[in-house]
Amino acid sequence: FQHLEKHLFTLSNMDLSRELKSLDELRESGFIHAEEYERRRQHILSQKVGAIDDLIQQSSAAASFVDTSLPKETQESHSTTTGTAEPVSKRKILSALLSAPEEAPKHQYVNEVNPFIYTEDYSKYTTPVVFVSKEGWTKEKNNLGEPEQPSDDLIARWKALQNAYAERVRTSNQFEWTTDVGKPNTLKLIGGLDISFPKGNKIDAVVCLAVCTYPENKLVFVAYKMIKLTAPYVAGLLNFREAPYYEATLAEVKKKYPQFMPQVLILDGNGIIHPRACGVACQLGVVTGIPSFGCAKKLLVFDGLDFDTIVASFDRADKRWVDIRGDSGKLHGRAFKFDSTSDPIFVSAGHKISLETCQIICDRTAISREPEAVNQADLLGREWLNKNYRNCDVIRRGWMTSRLRLLAGLLGLGSLVRP
């Protein structure tokens, strides 16, 4: 086994290094504090060590096997193994590390990111399942606050992180499902993500994940997560304002409602239509591993892109799609116009999906200006806030006081209401 130690360590640490690198980037950008960083790091390491232990214990090992490159606990757990059975098979362990999961039956689909078999009969849901999370959230007492403006140093670090994420972005199809209808592995669930705000509030917000079936566009699941924004809007840096909350929402859904985890995500934002080729859809796709793309309502101006020129192209071409190509000649994405009366949206690949597949999904699921899943996320998020925000845990003192003053003024009792 003189080469087994090296191969086992290298192979098992391919994913480990990537996970730890992503975690380090979150810490450096200020999204997670030191205690949370250490908790996540220990969890990742313990999972990896446990996986290696299981592989070895499940093999036919009986001879002594010590991998000096693994953590000490793992070495000790296997250094005293004895018996008369055949020694650990090098081929068997390496095959276990390299082989794909056992193929599911033809009528099932296993998502490579989410190890849940999509056998759910989504037609049985007459109304969508609703999940509301307020974990870690407290309501603003007034509407006067707003996130602090990032320093020049932080903006520089954010841009450096975007460049790092951009290197990991893949704009080709890297999934096992198909958009062809009627196939055993036909795409089943599309998730739309958007963030909505109460009127006049710059800190409190709600993330809405709307999950629709493909190609029926049936809404089967909605998740609402109340959040407090810590970063303001800065053009080109939407990633760091929204992506961490999208990731947290998906993590809760994966844990509590795995049968509704989407196979592809559509975000109200950009993919590679971005000065550094890394919009919010790119970053979320890289971090979660879920194929993602962006459908933005506004065009980021760079590389000579011009909104009026793109709109004029629709009139000349008389079609629904127009290429978004910069002065450099690079194809950044495509503009989509649902009909002659609607404004265009700007579609671009985020991660693990091609622009052509993005276009197919938009064509087959848009019943208005944008794909139905992200349209529902926008509408439902705002609707939920209108119905529920005032009734959340804490009454906004500023809101109540202003109305008391108005009422007192009308009644001539202004002196009874102190500012």
Side-chain angles (χ1 to χ4, degrees), residues 113-128:
V113 174
N114 315 303
F116 308 107
I117 299 176
Y118 284 76
T119 57
E120 191 82 353
D121 178 14
Y122 298 106
S123 64
K124 70 182 181 183
Y125 295 99
T126 55
T127 58

Side-chain angles (χ1 to χ4, degrees), residues 173-322:
N173 290 336
Q174 296 185 18
F175 46 75
E176 296 179 0
W177 45 262
T178 177
T179 53
D180 295 339
V181 179
K183 299 292 181 66
N185 61 334
T186 295
L187 171 65
K188 290 179 173 60
L189 297 179
I190 299 175
L193 280 164
D194 195 16
I195 292 180
S196 300
F197 310 85
K199 187 175 181 180
N201 195 307
K202 296 182 180 180
I203 292 182
D204 282 341
V206 64
V207 174
C208 182
L209 168 67
V211 180
C212 297
T213 60
Y214 175 89
E216 301 87 1
N217 267 343
K218 180 180 180 180
L219 183 68
V220 291
F221 180 78
V222 185
Y224 302 100
K225 181 174 177 62
M226 289 302 301
I227 61 172
K228 300 186 83 65
L229 293 168
T230 59
Y233 172 76
V234 180
L237 295 171
L238 186 66
N239 311 35
F240 304 99
R241 176 175 168 87
E242 297 186 351
Y245 302 108
Y246 288 146
E247 182 188 358
T249 303
L250 290 166
E252 285 194 56
V253 172
K254 182 175 180 178
K255 181 179 179 181
K256 297 177 181 179
Y257 295 92
Q259 69 274 32
F260 293 113
M261 275 298 287
Q263 295 161 275
V264 61
L265 297 170
I266 309 176
L267 282 72
D268 184 2
N270 283 298
I272 63 169
I273 301 179
H274 188 275
R276 287 168 291 283
C278 185
V280 62
C282 298
Q283 180 168 322
L284 186 65
V286 169
V287 170
T288 63
I290 303 174
S292 309
F293 68 95
C295 290
K297 297 182 179 73
K298 295 182 179 180
L299 178 69
L300 281 178
V301 178
F302 68 101
D303 194 17
L305 298 181
D306 179 70
F307 177 83
D308 292 335
T309 302
I310 292 173
V311 171
S313 298
F314 280 104
D315 297 333
R316 292 195 302 270
D318 190 26
K319 56 185 179 181
R320 301 176 90 190
W321 291 92
V322 169

Side-chain angles (χ1 to χ4, degrees), residues 1-48:
F1 303 110
Q2 62 183 32
H3 299 297
L4 178 56
E5 298 169 354
K6 177 182 177 182
H7 289 313
L8 181 60
F9 180 72
T10 301
L11 290 168
S12 64
N13 277 277
M14 285 179 182
D15 290 335
L16 177 61
S17 61
R18 283 195 290 264
E19 292 178 33
L20 291 178
K21 182 179 179 181
S22 296
L23 189 60
D24 287 340
E25 290 169 350
L26 287 174
R27 181 186 62 175
E28 291 169 4
S29 62
F31 285 135
I32 57 176
H33 50 72
E35 184 178 338
E36 176 65 10
Y37 168 80
E38 189 59 31
R39 185 190 68 78
R40 291 195 188 187
R41 185 175 181 276
Q42 291 301 323
H43 176 69
I44 292 171
L45 290 174
S46 63
Q47 279 190 321
K48 186 58 63 177

